[in-house]
Amino acid sequence: MDFTPTEEQAAGQGLAARIFKDLSTHERLAAAGTGTDAELWKELCAAGLIAAVEEIGLLGLVLLLEEQGRTTAQVPFAATCVYGVLAVDEHGSAEQRERLLPPLRDGTAVATGAFPSRGGLRSGGGGGRLSGTVPYVPWLRDATHVLVPDSDGALWMVSTAGEGVSVQPVETTAPWAAARLDLDGALGERLGGAGAYASVLATSRTAFAGLQAGVAAGSLARAVEHTATREQFGRPLSTHQAVLLRAADAHMDTEAIRVTAYEAAWRRDHSLAYGAQALTAAWWASEAGRRVVHAGQHLHGGTGADLEHPVHRHFLWGRQLDAYLGCGSEVLDELGRLLAEAEEVPT
């Protein structure tokens, strides 16, 4: 197992880091409110970073999402890559790939997913007619397409502009341009066969764990900078043992999120089973991610309570990612059942 980035992955990560750092500033994030930064999205698309995901794989995407997480950049990058580009590339037919991928690659189409399945969507009528409600879907306000699993686990790609589709904006913990999805006989096209839902969910959990690694790293970096410059009792806060230990624990948690996400992504890119590894990464992203963003706020002292301070955005993103796609206890239960099934010996 070798997590050393390829030349293409390293180049993509470096380019993403520069774009996010230059354009996802505190001032621009404040101005964006809960919406998407359209200029940043155009820059990412023009740089070819979305189209590059097919070449650099899931590990490459995880590296790019780390850079997004460091700045909490408000663009539907993870959603479009996971529920659009990678899902269509892996599970779409030749005709679907030829039709759907070009606009996804250049950013003129934006995808998201109504994941995980809670069994609320039904398909009927024999022609992919979908009905039901999903209380919130991240980035749905921006999406042209939404990937939805029905109650039987089949995947359907639905145009948000289609008949029978209603999108009602809702606010979530993090400013992810979310919305409620109501389907009333909406037409969807089937994507993939049996096993496609589990595959996309594992890919999504791995990718969003990478995003959480970046959020945690960004929160910790801000805490380190703050405690190194803020003085108490005549010396920097960072010289106090309690502060050092709290920061060290946060660093180890961040590394655990990162390395488990890398492992799951690496296995996926090498066509190895990675369901258990994706769940492990999701568990670390939930449990450790929550600890890190709480530590980031606490190490800022009273400043951490300022809702407009940059570290508070990391807190909001970290808590949203903690629960998205299953909180720690949910994915741990799922992982336990998966491991138990794997150990069963036929009689």
Side-chain angles (χ1 to χ4, degrees):
M1 199 175 301
D2 184 4
F3 301 150
T4 304
T6 64
E7 183 177 344
E8 292 78 11
Q9 289 170 341
Q13 185 180 25
L15 179 58
R18 180 181 62 77
I19 294 173
F20 285 127
K21 182 179 179 180
D22 289 348
L23 293 182
S24 189
T25 62
H26 173 62
E27 294 75 20
R28 290 178 64 88
L29 286 168
T34 62
T36 293
D37 187 331
E39 183 179 342
L40 174 57
W41 180 246
K42 290 179 182 178
E43 186 69 22
L44 291 169
C45 297
L49 288 176
I50 298 173
V53 171
E54 292 170 84
E55 298 297 325
I56 62 178
L58 184 54
L59 181 55
L61 176 58
V62 166
L63 294 173
L64 301 185
L65 291 177
E66 277 193 75
E67 302 305 326
Q68 180 184 3
R70 289 179 198 275
T71 60
T72 60
Q74 290 175 201
V75 285
F77 189 53
T80 292
C81 290
V82 170
Y83 300 122
V85 175
L86 291 180
V88 173
D89 182 58
E90 182 175 2
H91 301 290
S93 65
E95 187 277 330
Q96 286 174 320
R97 290 195 296 271
E98 183 179 356
R99 172 168 47 87
L100 296 174
L101 283 175
L104 288 169
R105 290 171 184 145
D106 64 23
T108 54
V110 174
T112 189
F115 277 62
S117 173
R118 302 296 185 189
L121 295 177
R122 306 173 304 281
S123 60
R129 294 289 178 177
L130 302 162
S131 298
T133 296
V134 182
Y136 92 95
V137 179
W139 306 111
L140 184 58
R141 285 183 240 166
D142 299 324
T144 58
H145 296 79
V146 55
L147 187 64
V148 299
D150 65 20
S151 56
D152 295 321
L155 286 183
W156 305 86
M157 187 68 82
V158 177
S159 169
T160 57
E163 183 179 350
V165 180
S166 175
V167 175
Q168 300 296 327
V170 298
E171 298 302 333
T172 55
T173 301
W176 284 4
R180 169 190 170 107
L181 177 67
D182 291 301
L183 301 179
D184 184 11
L187 181 63
E189 60 174 307
R190 182 71 183 269
L191 190 73
Y197 168 72
S199 174
V200 174
L201 180 58
T203 298
S204 179
R205 281 172 165 160
T206 303
F208 280 94
L211 184 61
Q212 182 75 304
V215 170
S219 175
L220 182 58
R222 292 187 184 280
V224 168
E225 181 182 7
H226 176 81
T227 56
T229 56
R230 185 71 174 241
E231 292 191 357
Q232 187 179 61
F233 306 121
R235 59 187 177 127
L237 286 171
S238 60
T239 62
H240 294 273
Q241 187 177 47
V243 173
L244 288 170
L245 292 175
R246 190 75 189 277
D249 285 343
H251 171 72
M252 294 304 296
D253 272 338
T254 301
E255 289 302 301
I257 301 169
R258 177 180 288 118
V259 73
T260 52
Y262 284 6
E263 180 184 8
W266 183 90
R267 290 182 65 88
R268 188 262 190 192
D269 289 345
H270 286 77
S271 301
L272 300 172
Y274 71 106
Q277 287 75 16
L279 285 166
T280 302
W283 183 83
W284 276 104
S286 176
E287 296 290 317
R290 183 176 66 252
R291 288 195 296 265
V292 173
V293 295
H294 274 268
Q297 279 213 312
H298 291 167
L299 290 173
H300 277 77
T303 306
D306 183 354
L307 300 183
E308 297 187 7
H309 191 279
V311 76
H312 189 67
R313 293 195 188 92
H314 291 271
F315 178 78
L316 295 178
W317 278 63
R319 289 313 307 262
Q320 186 77 49
L321 287 164
D322 160 29
Y324 183 53
L325 301 179
C327 65
S329 58
E330 288 181 295
V331 296
L332 188 61
D333 177 69
E334 189 175 340
L335 176 60
R337 286 186 278 109
L338 179 66
L339 296 178
E341 292 170 1
E343 292 178 357
E344 288 181 356
V345 178
T347 58

